[in-house]
Amino acid sequence: MRIRSSAREVAERWSLVLAFLGAFVFFAVARPNSFLTWDNARAILDDSSVLCVLAAGVTVILVIGEFDLSVGFVAGLAGAAGVSVMAFHGWGVGAAVAVALGAAAVAGVASGIAVAYVRIPSFIATLAVGSIAAAVELAITKTAIFEGLSSSYVQIATTRVWTIPLRAIIAAGVVLAFLLLLRTTVFGRHAAAVGDNSAAARLSGVPVERVRVIAFMLAGLAAGIAAVLVTSSATQYYPNLGTGYLLPAYAAAFLGLSLGGGRRFNIVGSYIGVLLLATVTTGLTMMNQPSWVAALVQGVVLLLAVASVSVRRGGTIGR
Amino acid sequence: MAGSAPTWLEAVELTKRYGGVLALDRASVVACAGQVHGLVGVNGAGKSTLVKCLTGMVRPTGGSVLVDGRSLPLGRPVDSLRAGIASVPQELTVAPTLTVAENIMLGHEPRGPFGWVRKREARRRAKDALASVSLDVPLSAPVGQLPLIEQRLVMIARALSFSARLVIFDEPTATVSPHEAALLLETVRSLAARRVSVLYVSHHLREIEAVCDSVTVLRDGRIIADLERATHLTLVDLLAPDRVSEPRVVREERSPREVVLEARSVWGPRLRDVSLAVGAGEIVGLAGLAGSGARELLLTVCGAAPFTDGSITLGGRRLRSANTLFAVESGVGFLPGDRSLGTFPSHTVRHNVALPSLSRYARFGLVNSRAEKSAVATLLDRVALRAHTEAPITSLSGGNQQKALVARSIGSNPRLLLLDDPTAGVDVATRPEIHAQIRTLSDAGVGVLLVSTDAEELAELSDRVVVFERGAVTGELTPDVMTPARVLAAMTGHPLPAVRQPKEDR
């Protein structure tokens, strides 16, 4: 027996890739001299690296059928924790990164426990954890801005490997790691099963609670990595550095849904979703459009993408 | 619904086709004022479809409904309600935080200017409706805080508040105590006394006998009998054959059997002092209607429901209350017929089948997909399922999805297999294949607990059948008296010793 799929299904499945290519071609024709350059491609990769990492974390949460609204706040907390141990205690770069990732992972585990064991709906649990994370962040930094971070810390973002920014390579590495995690490991399969049918997963012997906690920890970890990338490239820490990333991270993941047949959130889809958003933003900026146009186009694209999937599925998304 | 009472509603040759399946095939019923009409049939016989055609939840493919000689527009709940057809659903569909009055008047509140609700008028009408079911509860009490039986009476009052001329009851006594069931039957009779027509859908044949003036029996979407005054055993005869259609496999007795599962005096929310043992290679059938405790025991053993007292031991390990993971790790496999509890609809056949046994194909947490694929292919072969391992599970027919789940059960190497209506919704051809697989597993020493709403299935597969009623074990049928008809009689509450004389010649 062969797996049959209609031409329409194929078209729908690849609609995201087509949209990305379409946007790329559009801007390449409109601004051949500035858009279609190696510098620009590099800039898009570089600019989107933070979002890539956050979107990968968010995708894991969506795969288990939950929401994590705390990722932006957790990134802020992680940035504050990492930078402040360097500034206040003179710790090294490695230790600072470890502290940042540790703080983010702890926040993720807290959300995970609240969702998995206390059974608080993830939507509200992660709002609460996010609020606490934001509070702790401000308590650590007293709303100060830390400038003049050590050059070795800044190099995390600015180093170039064969002209490619290290930041983009790290982001690609994280995306690849999450991809392999979801695709090839027992955890990945368990996570997908929990998201698809948690009752059946439980009856199949999947440790549902543990899977949920690990997923939230991974999302926290991703937020921590994102925080390191943000602070090192900005060469400074500023309060609430992660708040602007929440919406585009979810937008990217939902754009990627079409690549999973409209049912499965997937890392590759989220990654292409991020690239699409970054391309549109960059391209519109090059065409001298005001920044609200980019936000408008992103919103419309997201609505269309999700609506097409939703209509086909009879009104349910990602379930 | 014959008799002298005037007929005011006629459903004529209602037909409903879902894809290639005829769920309802030219079924006609009539409603007469003040008459209680029963509707019986095994699961999937078309009862719910018929009810949904009448209430407008489903638009029939063919046929018509005449109310006072005029044709009723079909497929629109509003029109059915206006014509006086109201139903009391099986599941409680009250809005628990709203008050009694608000629940009764929900959707047909008397309106004042600017869309205001005329509260006094609403309360007066709600009060009238409550009086007609003789229920005395405060109109302003939140419905969710009332006992279940009163919630159900509120729903009946709600049905009546639409000036209903036909009230449809769908399995109204499934989850209530005997006393409450009696109360509900009393309410049904009082409705009839007020010239309301009642359509009473139930598996409880004893209740049908007690309360119905006439009965329609459905099988495979078709009406096979229209009876005046049916007795419990007449209905059993119509619903279940005397013999099993699959020849019983005579199996050699293993002695002494190693005990796989032992439940001792288990108490739970819906279980009362249940004791039961399953030996290795033994198939124990559990017979009982919804809420009887049969299915509840299954869910308790696999950790999906809690127990409060007593003990459950599986292969020497004492199971913990409401701990599914522990139960599965101790060797419990679960095969539901309700595929919403079994399949992962967004996933491939391979992912669906391999899930419980993933650790066997994995090293350091990494799944070896080649080993997994070949193992899944072998399992699919064993259940004679010709399907691509990478096909989406939802691309398979219902019967083939069920085969895939059987393959999953086999792959997980259970010591005890729990079957919950394992062939529900499965086509006629696939059913014996699934049964054969279950027998094969049992021959290999797996203990099996089988819950089924299908008396024939229980009689075909079980080594013995344990009968449940209202949460407790009320008896046991041994193979020599295990005809489908007897199993059905027992599971619908016929006293066990008085089961009719065996007709078979052995």
Side-chain angles (χ1 to χ4, degrees):
Chain A
M1 262 204 274
R2 293 207 21 238
I3 310 163
R4 284 167 293 128
S5 40
S6 69
R8 209 190 131 182
E9 272 171 14
V10 173
E12 276 168 347
R13 185 168 280 254
W14 295 101
S15 57
L16 173 66
V17 180
L18 291 176
F20 173 62
L21 291 178
F24 195 87
V25 168
F26 175 79
F27 292 119
V29 171
R31 287 284 180 278
N33 297 328
S34 49
F35 188 84
L36 209 55
T37 60
W38 174 233
D39 273 349
N40 184 46
R42 194 162 53 204
I44 289 179
L45 277 180
D46 192 29
D47 288 346
S48 59
S49 53
V50 173
L51 197 51
C52 280
V53 172
L54 277 174
V58 159
T59 304
V60 176
I61 296 295
L62 288 170
V63 163
I64 64 162
E66 304 287 348
F67 270 97
D68 188 347
L69 301 182
S70 72
V71 287
F73 301 112
V74 170
L77 168 66
V83 168
S84 63
V85 295
M86 284 192 292
F88 295 152
H89 306 292
W91 289 18
V93 170
V97 170
V99 166
L101 299 192
V106 167
V109 168
S111 292
I113 289 172
V115 171
Y117 292 100
V118 193
R119 294 176 197 283
I120 304 172
S122 60
F123 204 81
I124 201 71
T126 56
L127 263 185
V129 168
S131 174
I132 293 167
V136 174
E137 175 190 355
L138 295 183
I140 293 173
T141 62
K142 318 275 189 297
T143 72
I145 294 175
F146 293 75
E147 289 179 324
L149 300 179
S150 74
S151 63
S152 51
Y153 187 76
V154 171
Q155 276 170 9
I156 296 175
T158 53
T159 306
R160 294 201 165 185
V161 184
W162 303 301
T163 80
I164 299 172
L166 182 59
R167 189 160 78 132
I169 295 175
I170 292 174
V174 170
V175 168
L176 187 65
F178 274 65
L179 174 68
L180 292 177
L181 185 78
L182 286 182
R183 279 260 180 102
T184 62
T185 67
V186 173
F187 165 79
R189 295 282 285 278
H190 282 180
V194 169
D196 206 15
N197 189 343
S198 62
R202 204 182 287 281
L203 289 169
S204 304
V206 173
V208 175
E209 281 76 24
R210 203 184 312 157
V211 167
R212 287 190 175 133
V213 172
I214 292 175
F216 275 97
M217 189 195 72
L218 289 169
L221 214 50
I225 296 169
V228 171
L229 297 184
V230 171
T231 47
S232 66
S233 68
T235 72
Q236 63 171 4
Y237 158 85
Y238 51 93
N240 299 326
L241 58 88
T243 41
Y245 290 106
L246 182 67
L247 208 65
Y250 277 94
F254 273 91
L255 284 172
L257 199 51
S258 64
L259 207 61
R263 289 179 163 235
R264 302 181 62 176
F265 289 97
N266 59 98
I267 296 287
V268 174
S270 300
Y271 186 66
I272 299 175
V274 169
L275 291 183
L276 173 62
L277 294 180
T279 305
V280 169
T281 313
T282 311
L284 288 172
T285 311
M286 282 179 176
M287 294 178 73
N288 298 321
Q289 297 292 332
S291 58
W292 60 262
V293 173
L296 182 75
V297 170
Q298 282 184 9
V300 170
V301 166
L302 180 62
L303 268 184
L304 289 178
V306 178
S308 75
V309 169
S310 177
V311 166
R312 179 154 45 101
R313 295 274 163 237
T316 52
I317 277 290
R319 302 250 45 206
Chain B
M1 270 180 256
S4 52
T7 297
W8 62 274
L9 179 142
E10 266 182 281
V12 187
E13 303 207 329
L14 286 176
T15 300
K16 178 67 192 178
R17 184 184 288 279
Y18 289 105
V21 183
L22 257 185
L24 201 57
D25 186 6
R26 284 165 293 155
S28 302
V29 287
V30 297
C32 314
Q35 295 270 305
V36 182
H37 187 72
L39 189 59
V40 300
V42 298
N43 282 347
K47 302 187 302 276
S48 327
T49 309
L50 177 54
V51 168
K52 283 178 184 163
C53 286
L54 290 174
T55 57
M57 301 299 287
V58 157
R59 182 195 298 274
T61 321
S64 58
V65 176
L66 300 174
V67 176
D68 296 328
R70 276 202 306 270
S71 172
L72 174 76
L74 298 175
R76 294 199 359 176
V78 178
D79 290 324
S80 293
L81 270 175
R82 280 204 193 120
I85 304 169
S87 71
V88 180
Q90 189 172 359
E91 302 294 330
L92 287 173
T93 49
V94 290
T97 56
L98 297 186
T99 67
V100 169
E102 285 166 339
N103 264 286
I104 292 175
M105 300 310 293
L106 192 65
H108 61 133
E109 299 87 351
R111 300 273 175 94
F114 311 115
W116 284 334
V117 175
R118 301 216 313 271
K119 280 220 163 154
R120 193 171 299 173
E121 168 76 2
R123 289 174 68 86
R124 190 186 60 73
R125 278 161 61 178
K127 203 170 179 178
D128 286 352
L130 282 181
S132 57
V133 293
S134 317
L135 180 62
D136 186 21
V137 290
L139 285 171
S140 52
V143 166
Q145 291 175 10
L146 300 177
L148 277 180
I149 177 70
E150 293 185 353
Q151 294 190 23
R152 194 145 288 179
L153 288 171
V154 168
M155 290 312 288
I156 299 172
R158 174 177 160 74
L160 291 172
S161 73
F162 285 92
S163 345
R165 300 169 71 191
L166 169 65
V167 177
I168 304 173
F169 288 85
D170 192 355
E171 210 63 65
T173 59
T175 49
V176 300
S177 72
H179 169 71
E180 292 168 339
L183 191 65
L184 277 168
L185 292 188
E186 203 45 57
T187 308
V188 168
R189 285 197 196 92
S190 75
L191 290 183
R194 294 153 46 94
R195 307 292 292 160
V196 172
S197 307
V198 174
L199 184 61
Y200 194 89
V201 186
S202 183
H203 288 295
H204 284 264
L205 303 180
R206 208 166 34 175
E207 289 172 4
I208 295 276
E209 176 181 339
V211 81
C212 294
D213 300 304
S214 50
V215 180
T216 291
V217 184
L218 278 170
R219 183 191 289 160
D220 301 328
R222 234 170 278 139
I223 291 179
I224 56 164
D226 265 313
L227 310 164
E228 302 260 334
R229 285 269 156 216
T231 67
H232 189 160
L233 288 182
T234 329
L235 292 171
V236 164
D237 272 336
L238 283 165
L239 289 172
D242 235 1
R243 291 154 192 281
V244 293
S245 47
E246 288 175 32
R248 264 192 82 75
V249 182
V250 182
R251 290 148 31 109
E252 56 186 274
E253 188 82 25
R254 278 168 236 243
S255 54
R257 264 186 175 139
E258 180 204 346
V259 174
V260 175
L261 175 85
E262 183 154 34
R264 276 198 196 147
S265 312
V266 174
W267 290 77
R270 293 259 176 84
L271 293 176
R272 296 187 291 130
D273 197 16
V274 173
S275 297
L276 186 107
V278 181
E282 188 183 24
I283 303 179
V284 178
L286 307 181
L289 299 172
S292 66
R295 186 158 187 274
E296 286 77 4
L297 179 66
L298 213 63
L299 294 177
T300 305
V301 169
C302 72
F307 58 99
T308 48
D309 202 6
S311 71
I312 304 177
T313 342
L314 179 70
R317 253 174 105 165
R318 240 180 117 128
L319 295 186
R320 300 171 196 165
S321 170
N323 189 329
T324 311
L325 195 56
F326 191 82
V328 173
E329 279 168 359
S330 309
V332 170
F334 187 76
L335 176 64
D338 174 4
R339 278 179 286 282
S340 69
L341 271 176
T343 55
F344 301 96
S346 314
H347 291 80
T348 59
V349 172
R350 167 163 63 99
H351 286 197
N352 268 279
V353 171
L355 189 71
S357 39
L358 267 187
S359 57
R360 242 177 292 145
Y361 325 121
R363 236 185 198 193
F364 308 117
L366 288 175
V367 180
N368 177 346
S369 55
R370 190 177 299 172
E372 181 198 1
K373 257 181 215 170
S374 72
V376 168
T378 313
L379 286 171
L380 294 185
D381 264 356
R382 277 189 61 184
V383 297
L385 173 57
R386 287 171 45 77
H388 199 290
T389 55
E390 305 310 304
I393 188 87
T394 46
S395 68
L396 270 52
S397 69
N400 281 346
Q401 287 187 29
Q402 193 64 4
K403 278 192 189 171
L405 293 190
V406 174
R408 171 155 95 201
S409 304
I410 297 175
S412 69
N413 274 341
R415 302 165 67 107
L416 175 72
L417 186 59
L418 306 178
L419 307 174
D420 183 9
D421 247 331
T423 56
V426 162
D427 57 287
V428 188
T430 313
R431 197 182 124 109
E433 294 178 21
I434 289 174
H435 284 175
Q437 287 303 326
I438 293 168
R439 287 198 193 93
T440 311
L441 274 174
S442 134
D443 289 340
V446 177
V448 177
L449 264 184
L450 166 69
V451 169
S452 183
T453 49
D454 178 350
E456 194 173 351
E457 176 163 82
L458 283 167
E460 279 163 0
L461 277 178
S462 310
D463 293 320
R464 60 196 168 91
V465 170
V466 176
V467 183
F468 280 74
E469 206 179 331
R470 309 272 176 220
V473 173
T474 54
E476 184 170 324
L477 295 170
T478 46
D480 50 319
V481 293
M482 233 165 47
T483 64
R486 282 183 172 203
V487 171
L488 182 65
M491 74 195 269
T492 52
H494 203 273
L496 275 178
V499 188
R500 73 203 143 125
Q501 289 302 305
K503 284 185 198 164
E504 68 263 68
D505 42 21
R506 62 165 141 143

